[in-house]
Amino acid sequence: MSIKSSVASVTAGKLEPENTTAHRPNAGPGLWTGVEPRHYKQEGSAPFRTVSRQVLFADPQLAAQLRYFEVQPGGYTTLERHQHMHAVMVLHGGGRALVGEELLELAQHDLITVPPLTWHQFRARKDAPLGFLCMVNTDRDRPQLPGPEELDAMLSNPKLAAFLQEQSA
């Protein structure tokens, strides 16, 4: 019996279909054999531009999910917060991130912690995509978008206002 079939028989019914093998070889930048690229979110559900995601590991025994996001040049994720924490590692490219009231310059292999209930957004540079891993709890809440009061509070900080206004430029 191969290791692949042994792992599949031991974990039958516990993993998402793309996560049932012990080895998923790299299939090119930001791609893995047997891992389906998905839409980041449903169009119109929240503001974002040119982002895709892949679920790399989602075994309930881990109590965490490891995802890969790719933000195309000039693209950005949704400005949002959650009750759960994020652990992020930049795999390639660069860009900027808003985490709370901090603006971070991102480079390959940077590690970013997004604490619970912290506003955050990731943006790719205009000349290259930004690819990053993001680990979150398997059981987690839905994203919260800023309301008018939260947005006004962010816009009252000139540094954050400049960052947020870049999105609409």
Short mmCIF file of all heavy atoms in Angstrom, two decimals, residues 16-19 24-41 50-59 64-72 77 86-87 89 91-92 129-136 140:
data_model
loop_
_atom_site.label_atom_id
_atom_site.label_comp_id
_atom_site.label_asym_id
_atom_site.label_seq_id
_atom_site.Cartn_x
_atom_site.Cartn_y
_atom_site.Cartn_z
N GLU A 16 -10.90 18.12 3.25
CA GLU A 16 -11.50 18.61 2.01
C GLU A 16 -10.86 17.85 0.86
O GLU A 16 -9.73 17.38 0.96
CB GLU A 16 -11.24 20.11 1.88
CG GLU A 16 -12.00 20.92 2.92
CD GLU A 16 -11.88 22.41 2.69
OE1 GLU A 16 -11.42 22.82 1.62
OE2 GLU A 16 -12.26 23.14 3.60
N PRO A 17 -11.54 17.74 -0.29
CA PRO A 17 -11.02 16.93 -1.39
C PRO A 17 -9.60 17.30 -1.81
O PRO A 17 -8.80 16.44 -2.11
CB PRO A 17 -12.01 17.20 -2.53
CG PRO A 17 -13.27 17.61 -1.84
CD PRO A 17 -12.85 18.28 -0.57
N GLU A 18 -9.24 18.59 -1.81
CA GLU A 18 -7.90 18.97 -2.25
C GLU A 18 -6.85 18.68 -1.19
O GLU A 18 -5.67 18.89 -1.42
CB GLU A 18 -7.84 20.44 -2.67
CG GLU A 18 -8.02 21.43 -1.54
CD GLU A 18 -9.45 21.83 -1.30
OE1 GLU A 18 -10.38 21.09 -1.67
OE2 GLU A 18 -9.65 22.90 -0.73
N ASN A 19 -7.23 18.19 -0.03
CA ASN A 19 -6.29 17.98 1.06
C ASN A 19 -6.16 16.52 1.46
O ASN A 19 -5.78 16.22 2.58
CB ASN A 19 -6.74 18.80 2.28
CG ASN A 19 -6.70 20.28 2.00
OD1 ASN A 19 -5.76 20.78 1.41
ND2 ASN A 19 -7.74 20.97 2.41
N ARG A 24 1.46 17.18 -2.19
CA ARG A 24 0.89 17.93 -3.32
C ARG A 24 2.03 18.75 -3.91
O ARG A 24 2.35 19.84 -3.40
CB ARG A 24 -0.27 18.81 -2.85
CG ARG A 24 -1.48 17.98 -2.42
CD ARG A 24 -2.63 18.83 -1.92
NE ARG A 24 -2.34 19.58 -0.71
CZ ARG A 24 -2.39 19.09 0.52
NH1 ARG A 24 -2.69 17.84 0.73
NH2 ARG A 24 -2.13 19.86 1.56
N PRO A 25 2.67 18.26 -4.97
CA PRO A 25 3.84 18.96 -5.52
C PRO A 25 3.50 20.35 -6.02
O PRO A 25 2.38 20.62 -6.46
CB PRO A 25 4.27 18.07 -6.69
CG PRO A 25 3.60 16.76 -6.48
CD PRO A 25 2.35 17.05 -5.69
N ASN A 26 4.51 21.22 -5.96
CA ASN A 26 4.39 22.55 -6.52
C ASN A 26 4.18 22.43 -8.02
O ASN A 26 4.82 21.64 -8.68
CB ASN A 26 5.66 23.36 -6.20
CG ASN A 26 5.59 24.75 -6.76
OD1 ASN A 26 6.20 25.04 -7.77
ND2 ASN A 26 4.83 25.60 -6.10
N ALA A 27 3.25 23.21 -8.55
CA ALA A 27 2.93 23.17 -9.98
C ALA A 27 3.24 24.51 -10.65
O ALA A 27 2.68 24.84 -11.68
CB ALA A 27 1.45 22.80 -10.17
N GLY A 28 4.11 25.29 -10.04
CA GLY A 28 4.45 26.62 -10.56
C GLY A 28 4.22 27.64 -9.49
O GLY A 28 3.70 27.32 -8.41
N PRO A 29 4.61 28.88 -9.75
CA PRO A 29 4.46 29.92 -8.72
C PRO A 29 3.01 30.03 -8.22
O PRO A 29 2.10 30.24 -9.00
CB PRO A 29 4.89 31.20 -9.43
CG PRO A 29 5.75 30.74 -10.57
CD PRO A 29 5.20 29.39 -10.97
N GLY A 30 2.83 29.83 -6.92
CA GLY A 30 1.51 29.97 -6.31
C GLY A 30 0.51 28.90 -6.70
O GLY A 30 -0.69 29.08 -6.54
N LEU A 31 0.99 27.74 -7.17
CA LEU A 31 0.10 26.65 -7.58
C LEU A 31 0.61 25.33 -7.02
O LEU A 31 1.82 25.11 -6.95
CB LEU A 31 0.03 26.55 -9.11
CG LEU A 31 -0.54 27.76 -9.84
CD1 LEU A 31 -0.33 27.60 -11.34
CD2 LEU A 31 -2.01 27.93 -9.51
N TRP A 32 -0.33 24.45 -6.66
CA TRP A 32 0.01 23.13 -6.15
C TRP A 32 -0.90 22.11 -6.82
O TRP A 32 -2.10 22.35 -7.00
CB TRP A 32 -0.16 23.07 -4.64
CG TRP A 32 0.86 23.90 -3.95
CD1 TRP A 32 2.08 23.47 -3.48
CD2 TRP A 32 0.80 25.30 -3.66
NE1 TRP A 32 2.76 24.53 -2.94
CE2 TRP A 32 2.00 25.66 -3.03
CE3 TRP A 32 -0.15 26.30 -3.90
CZ2 TRP A 32 2.28 26.96 -2.63
CZ3 TRP A 32 0.12 27.59 -3.49
CH2 TRP A 32 1.33 27.91 -2.86
N THR A 33 -0.33 20.95 -7.17
CA THR A 33 -1.08 19.88 -7.80
C THR A 33 -2.23 19.45 -6.88
O THR A 33 -2.01 19.21 -5.69
CB THR A 33 -0.15 18.68 -8.08
OG1 THR A 33 0.91 19.12 -8.92
CG2 THR A 33 -0.91 17.55 -8.75
N GLY A 34 -3.43 19.40 -7.42
CA GLY A 34 -4.59 18.96 -6.66
C GLY A 34 -5.21 20.01 -5.76
O GLY A 34 -6.13 19.71 -5.01
N VAL A 35 -4.71 21.25 -5.81
CA VAL A 35 -5.29 22.34 -5.01
C VAL A 35 -5.93 23.33 -5.98
O VAL A 35 -5.25 23.92 -6.81
CB VAL A 35 -4.23 23.04 -4.14
CG1 VAL A 35 -4.86 24.17 -3.34
CG2 VAL A 35 -3.54 22.04 -3.21
N GLU A 36 -7.22 23.46 -5.85
CA GLU A 36 -7.99 24.28 -6.79
C GLU A 36 -7.97 25.76 -6.40
O GLU A 36 -8.39 26.12 -5.31
CB GLU A 36 -9.45 23.78 -6.80
CG GLU A 36 -10.31 24.40 -7.85
CD GLU A 36 -9.93 23.96 -9.26
OE1 GLU A 36 -9.48 22.80 -9.42
OE2 GLU A 36 -10.09 24.76 -10.18
N PRO A 37 -7.49 26.64 -7.30
CA PRO A 37 -7.63 28.08 -7.03
C PRO A 37 -9.12 28.45 -6.97
O PRO A 37 -9.93 27.93 -7.73
CB PRO A 37 -6.95 28.75 -8.23
CG PRO A 37 -6.03 27.70 -8.77
CD PRO A 37 -6.73 26.39 -8.51
N ARG A 38 -9.45 29.30 -6.02
CA ARG A 38 -10.85 29.70 -5.81
C ARG A 38 -10.95 31.22 -5.86
O ARG A 38 -9.97 31.92 -5.67
CB ARG A 38 -11.33 29.24 -4.44
CG ARG A 38 -11.28 27.76 -4.23
CD ARG A 38 -11.67 27.41 -2.82
NE ARG A 38 -11.65 25.96 -2.62
CZ ARG A 38 -11.96 25.38 -1.50
NH1 ARG A 38 -12.32 26.10 -0.46
NH2 ARG A 38 -11.92 24.08 -1.39
N HIS A 39 -12.18 31.68 -6.04
CA HIS A 39 -12.42 33.12 -5.92
C HIS A 39 -12.16 33.53 -4.48
O HIS A 39 -12.48 32.79 -3.54
CB HIS A 39 -13.87 33.47 -6.30
CG HIS A 39 -14.17 33.22 -7.74
ND1 HIS A 39 -13.64 33.98 -8.75
CD2 HIS A 39 -14.94 32.29 -8.33
CE1 HIS A 39 -14.07 33.53 -9.91
NE2 HIS A 39 -14.86 32.49 -9.68
N TYR A 40 -11.61 34.70 -4.31
CA TYR A 40 -11.35 35.24 -2.97
C TYR A 40 -12.66 35.40 -2.21
O TYR A 40 -12.81 34.92 -1.10
CB TYR A 40 -10.62 36.57 -3.13
CG TYR A 40 -10.46 37.41 -1.89
CD1 TYR A 40 -9.77 36.94 -0.78
CD2 TYR A 40 -10.96 38.70 -1.84
CE1 TYR A 40 -9.61 37.73 0.35
CE2 TYR A 40 -10.80 39.49 -0.73
CZ TYR A 40 -10.13 39.01 0.37
OH TYR A 40 -9.97 39.79 1.47
N LYS A 41 -13.58 36.09 -2.83
CA LYS A 41 -14.93 36.31 -2.27
C LYS A 41 -15.89 36.43 -3.44
O LYS A 41 -15.47 36.58 -4.58
CB LYS A 41 -14.99 37.60 -1.45
CG LYS A 41 -14.14 37.55 -0.22
CD LYS A 41 -14.26 38.81 0.59
CE LYS A 41 -13.37 38.62 1.81
NZ LYS A 41 -13.55 39.60 2.81
N THR A 50 -8.77 41.81 -7.71
CA THR A 50 -7.89 40.79 -8.28
C THR A 50 -7.14 39.96 -7.23
O THR A 50 -5.92 39.98 -7.15
CB THR A 50 -6.90 41.40 -9.30
OG1 THR A 50 -6.11 42.41 -8.69
CG2 THR A 50 -7.64 41.97 -10.49
N VAL A 51 -7.91 39.20 -6.46
CA VAL A 51 -7.35 38.32 -5.42
C VAL A 51 -7.90 36.91 -5.64
O VAL A 51 -9.09 36.74 -5.92
CB VAL A 51 -7.76 38.80 -4.00
CG1 VAL A 51 -7.12 37.91 -2.94
CG2 VAL A 51 -7.41 40.25 -3.79
N SER A 52 -7.03 35.91 -5.51
CA SER A 52 -7.48 34.52 -5.52
C SER A 52 -6.99 33.85 -4.24
O SER A 52 -6.10 34.38 -3.56
CB SER A 52 -6.93 33.78 -6.75
OG SER A 52 -5.52 33.72 -6.70
N ARG A 53 -7.59 32.71 -3.92
CA ARG A 53 -7.19 31.98 -2.71
C ARG A 53 -7.19 30.49 -3.00
O ARG A 53 -7.89 30.02 -3.90
CB ARG A 53 -8.09 32.30 -1.52
CG ARG A 53 -9.47 31.72 -1.62
CD ARG A 53 -10.32 32.06 -0.39
NE ARG A 53 -11.67 31.63 -0.61
CZ ARG A 53 -12.17 30.46 -0.22
NH1 ARG A 53 -11.42 29.61 0.43
NH2 ARG A 53 -13.42 30.15 -0.47
N GLN A 54 -6.39 29.79 -2.22
CA GLN A 54 -6.35 28.33 -2.27
C GLN A 54 -6.26 27.82 -0.84
O GLN A 54 -5.53 28.39 -0.03
CB GLN A 54 -5.12 27.85 -3.04
CG GLN A 54 -5.13 28.27 -4.50
CD GLN A 54 -3.83 27.90 -5.17
OE1 GLN A 54 -3.49 26.72 -5.25
NE2 GLN A 54 -3.10 28.89 -5.64
N VAL A 55 -7.02 26.79 -0.54
CA VAL A 55 -6.95 26.16 0.77
C VAL A 55 -5.93 25.02 0.65
O VAL A 55 -6.16 24.05 -0.06
CB VAL A 55 -8.33 25.63 1.22
CG1 VAL A 55 -8.21 24.92 2.55
CG2 VAL A 55 -9.33 26.78 1.28
N LEU A 56 -4.81 25.17 1.35
CA LEU A 56 -3.73 24.19 1.26
C LEU A 56 -3.89 23.05 2.26
O LEU A 56 -3.64 21.90 1.94
CB LEU A 56 -2.37 24.87 1.46
CG LEU A 56 -2.08 26.03 0.50
CD1 LEU A 56 -0.73 26.63 0.80
CD2 LEU A 56 -2.19 25.59 -0.95
N PHE A 57 -4.27 23.37 3.50
CA PHE A 57 -4.51 22.39 4.54
C PHE A 57 -5.77 22.77 5.29
O PHE A 57 -5.92 23.91 5.70
CB PHE A 57 -3.34 22.32 5.54
CG PHE A 57 -2.06 21.85 4.94
CD1 PHE A 57 -1.10 22.75 4.53
CD2 PHE A 57 -1.82 20.49 4.79
CE1 PHE A 57 0.10 22.32 3.97
CE2 PHE A 57 -0.62 20.05 4.23
CZ PHE A 57 0.33 20.97 3.82
N ALA A 58 -6.66 21.77 5.48
CA ALA A 58 -7.91 22.03 6.20
C ALA A 58 -8.36 20.78 6.95
O ALA A 58 -9.50 20.39 6.87
CB ALA A 58 -8.99 22.50 5.23
N ASP A 59 -7.47 20.17 7.66
CA ASP A 59 -7.79 18.96 8.41
C ASP A 59 -8.34 19.36 9.78
O ASP A 59 -7.69 20.09 10.52
CB ASP A 59 -6.53 18.12 8.58
CG ASP A 59 -6.81 16.76 9.19
OD1 ASP A 59 -7.69 16.65 10.07
OD2 ASP A 59 -6.13 15.80 8.79
N ALA A 64 -6.71 24.29 12.48
CA ALA A 64 -6.30 25.48 11.75
C ALA A 64 -6.43 25.19 10.26
O ALA A 64 -6.49 24.03 9.84
CB ALA A 64 -4.87 25.86 12.08
N GLN A 65 -6.47 26.26 9.49
CA GLN A 65 -6.52 26.15 8.04
C GLN A 65 -5.39 27.00 7.48
O GLN A 65 -5.20 28.15 7.92
CB GLN A 65 -7.87 26.64 7.52
CG GLN A 65 -8.13 26.33 6.07
CD GLN A 65 -9.50 26.81 5.64
OE1 GLN A 65 -9.73 28.01 5.53
NE2 GLN A 65 -10.42 25.88 5.42
N LEU A 66 -4.62 26.44 6.55
CA LEU A 66 -3.56 27.19 5.90
C LEU A 66 -4.02 27.49 4.48
O LEU A 66 -4.37 26.58 3.73
CB LEU A 66 -2.25 26.40 5.88
CG LEU A 66 -1.05 27.14 5.28
CD1 LEU A 66 -0.69 28.36 6.13
CD2 LEU A 66 0.15 26.21 5.16
N ARG A 67 -4.03 28.79 4.15
CA ARG A 67 -4.51 29.23 2.85
C ARG A 67 -3.41 30.01 2.15
O ARG A 67 -2.55 30.60 2.80
CB ARG A 67 -5.74 30.12 3.00
CG ARG A 67 -6.86 29.39 3.71
CD ARG A 67 -7.73 30.15 4.64
NE ARG A 67 -7.28 31.39 5.17
CZ ARG A 67 -8.07 32.44 5.40
NH1 ARG A 67 -9.34 32.37 5.10
NH2 ARG A 67 -7.60 33.54 5.94
N TYR A 68 -3.46 30.01 0.82
CA TYR A 68 -2.56 30.82 0.01
C TYR A 68 -3.40 31.85 -0.73
O TYR A 68 -4.40 31.50 -1.35
CB TYR A 68 -1.79 29.96 -0.99
CG TYR A 68 -0.97 30.78 -1.95
CD1 TYR A 68 0.23 31.36 -1.54
CD2 TYR A 68 -1.41 31.01 -3.24
CE1 TYR A 68 0.97 32.14 -2.41
CE2 TYR A 68 -0.67 31.79 -4.12
CZ TYR A 68 0.52 32.35 -3.69
OH TYR A 68 1.25 33.14 -4.55
N PHE A 69 -3.00 33.11 -0.64
CA PHE A 69 -3.67 34.19 -1.35
C PHE A 69 -2.70 34.78 -2.36
O PHE A 69 -1.51 34.93 -2.06
CB PHE A 69 -4.10 35.30 -0.39
CG PHE A 69 -5.21 34.88 0.53
CD1 PHE A 69 -4.94 34.24 1.73
CD2 PHE A 69 -6.54 35.12 0.19
CE1 PHE A 69 -5.95 33.85 2.57
CE2 PHE A 69 -7.57 34.73 1.04
CZ PHE A 69 -7.28 34.10 2.23
N GLU A 70 -3.21 35.12 -3.52
CA GLU A 70 -2.40 35.84 -4.50
C GLU A 70 -3.16 37.09 -4.92
O GLU A 70 -4.29 37.01 -5.38
CB GLU A 70 -2.06 34.98 -5.71
CG GLU A 70 -1.12 35.72 -6.64
CD GLU A 70 -0.15 34.83 -7.35
OE1 GLU A 70 0.52 34.00 -6.70
OE2 GLU A 70 -0.06 34.98 -8.57
N VAL A 71 -2.51 38.23 -4.70
CA VAL A 71 -3.07 39.53 -5.04
C VAL A 71 -2.31 40.01 -6.28
O VAL A 71 -1.08 40.15 -6.24
CB VAL A 71 -2.90 40.53 -3.88
CG1 VAL A 71 -3.58 41.85 -4.20
CG2 VAL A 71 -3.43 39.95 -2.57
N GLN A 72 -3.02 40.22 -7.37
CA GLN A 72 -2.38 40.64 -8.61
C GLN A 72 -1.87 42.08 -8.50
O GLN A 72 -2.30 42.83 -7.63
CB GLN A 72 -3.35 40.49 -9.78
CG GLN A 72 -3.71 39.05 -10.08
CD GLN A 72 -2.49 38.18 -10.33
OE1 GLN A 72 -1.62 38.52 -11.14
NE2 GLN A 72 -2.40 37.06 -9.62
N THR A 77 -6.83 43.17 -0.87
CA THR A 77 -7.84 42.38 -0.17
C THR A 77 -8.85 43.35 0.46
O THR A 77 -8.67 44.57 0.44
CB THR A 77 -7.20 41.52 0.94
OG1 THR A 77 -6.61 42.38 1.92
CG2 THR A 77 -6.16 40.57 0.37
N HIS A 86 -4.87 36.08 12.61
CA HIS A 86 -4.24 35.60 11.37
C HIS A 86 -2.73 35.54 11.59
O HIS A 86 -2.16 36.44 12.21
CB HIS A 86 -4.45 36.58 10.20
CG HIS A 86 -5.85 36.76 9.77
ND1 HIS A 86 -6.46 35.95 8.86
CD2 HIS A 86 -6.76 37.70 10.08
CE1 HIS A 86 -7.69 36.38 8.65
NE2 HIS A 86 -7.90 37.44 9.40
N ALA A 87 -2.10 34.53 11.03
CA ALA A 87 -0.63 34.46 10.97
C ALA A 87 -0.28 34.40 9.49
O ALA A 87 -0.72 33.49 8.77
CB ALA A 87 -0.13 33.22 11.70
N MET A 89 2.59 34.84 6.19
CA MET A 89 3.97 34.84 5.70
C MET A 89 3.95 35.18 4.22
O MET A 89 3.27 34.51 3.44
CB MET A 89 4.64 33.48 5.89
CG MET A 89 6.05 33.46 5.36
SD MET A 89 6.78 31.83 5.56
CE MET A 89 8.40 32.15 4.92
N LEU A 91 5.22 34.95 0.69
CA LEU A 91 6.04 34.00 -0.06
C LEU A 91 6.78 34.68 -1.20
O LEU A 91 7.93 34.35 -1.48
CB LEU A 91 5.18 32.88 -0.64
CG LEU A 91 4.67 31.83 0.33
CD1 LEU A 91 3.99 30.70 -0.43
CD2 LEU A 91 5.78 31.27 1.19
N HIS A 92 6.10 35.59 -1.90
CA HIS A 92 6.77 36.27 -3.00
C HIS A 92 6.13 37.63 -3.24
O HIS A 92 5.02 37.90 -2.81
CB HIS A 92 6.77 35.42 -4.29
CG HIS A 92 5.42 35.23 -4.88
ND1 HIS A 92 4.87 36.12 -5.77
CD2 HIS A 92 4.50 34.26 -4.71
CE1 HIS A 92 3.67 35.69 -6.13
NE2 HIS A 92 3.42 34.57 -5.49
N PRO A 129 2.79 40.70 -8.45
CA PRO A 129 1.81 40.13 -7.53
C PRO A 129 2.39 39.95 -6.13
O PRO A 129 3.61 39.92 -5.95
CB PRO A 129 1.46 38.78 -8.16
CG PRO A 129 2.54 38.48 -9.12
CD PRO A 129 3.22 39.76 -9.47
N LEU A 130 1.51 39.82 -5.17
CA LEU A 130 1.85 39.55 -3.77
C LEU A 130 1.24 38.20 -3.42
O LEU A 130 0.03 38.03 -3.50
CB LEU A 130 1.28 40.64 -2.87
CG LEU A 130 1.34 40.40 -1.35
CD1 LEU A 130 2.78 40.36 -0.87
CD2 LEU A 130 0.55 41.48 -0.62
N GLY A 131 2.09 37.23 -3.06
CA GLY A 131 1.60 35.91 -2.68
C GLY A 131 1.93 35.65 -1.22
O GLY A 131 3.07 35.84 -0.80
N PHE A 132 0.91 35.25 -0.44
CA PHE A 132 1.17 35.01 0.98
C PHE A 132 0.36 33.84 1.51
O PHE A 132 -0.73 33.54 1.02
CB PHE A 132 0.93 36.27 1.81
CG PHE A 132 -0.46 36.83 1.77
CD1 PHE A 132 -1.43 36.43 2.69
CD2 PHE A 132 -0.82 37.80 0.83
CE1 PHE A 132 -2.71 36.96 2.67
CE2 PHE A 132 -2.08 38.35 0.81
CZ PHE A 132 -3.04 37.94 1.73
N LEU A 133 0.94 33.19 2.52
CA LEU A 133 0.25 32.16 3.28
C LEU A 133 -0.46 32.82 4.45
O LEU A 133 0.06 33.77 5.03
CB LEU A 133 1.25 31.14 3.84
CG LEU A 133 2.01 30.32 2.82
CD1 LEU A 133 3.09 29.50 3.52
CD2 LEU A 133 1.09 29.42 2.03
N CYS A 134 -1.63 32.31 4.79
CA CYS A 134 -2.39 32.84 5.92
C CYS A 134 -2.98 31.65 6.70
O CYS A 134 -3.72 30.85 6.14
CB CYS A 134 -3.50 33.75 5.43
SG CYS A 134 -4.51 34.44 6.76
N MET A 135 -2.61 31.57 7.98
CA MET A 135 -3.13 30.51 8.84
C MET A 135 -4.18 31.11 9.77
O MET A 135 -3.93 32.16 10.39
CB MET A 135 -2.01 29.88 9.66
CG MET A 135 -2.49 28.69 10.47
SD MET A 135 -1.15 27.73 11.22
CE MET A 135 -0.24 28.97 12.10
N VAL A 136 -5.33 30.45 9.83
CA VAL A 136 -6.43 30.89 10.68
C VAL A 136 -7.05 29.67 11.37
O VAL A 136 -6.80 28.54 10.98
CB VAL A 136 -7.54 31.63 9.88
CG1 VAL A 136 -7.03 32.94 9.33
CG2 VAL A 136 -8.09 30.76 8.77
N ARG A 140 -14.21 29.74 12.65
CA ARG A 140 -13.97 31.18 12.77
C ARG A 140 -15.21 31.95 12.37
O ARG A 140 -16.10 31.43 11.72
CB ARG A 140 -12.76 31.60 11.95
CG ARG A 140 -12.87 31.29 10.48
CD ARG A 140 -11.55 31.54 9.76
NE ARG A 140 -11.64 31.26 8.36
CZ ARG A 140 -11.51 30.07 7.80
NH1 ARG A 140 -11.27 29.02 8.56
NH2 ARG A 140 -11.63 29.91 6.51
#
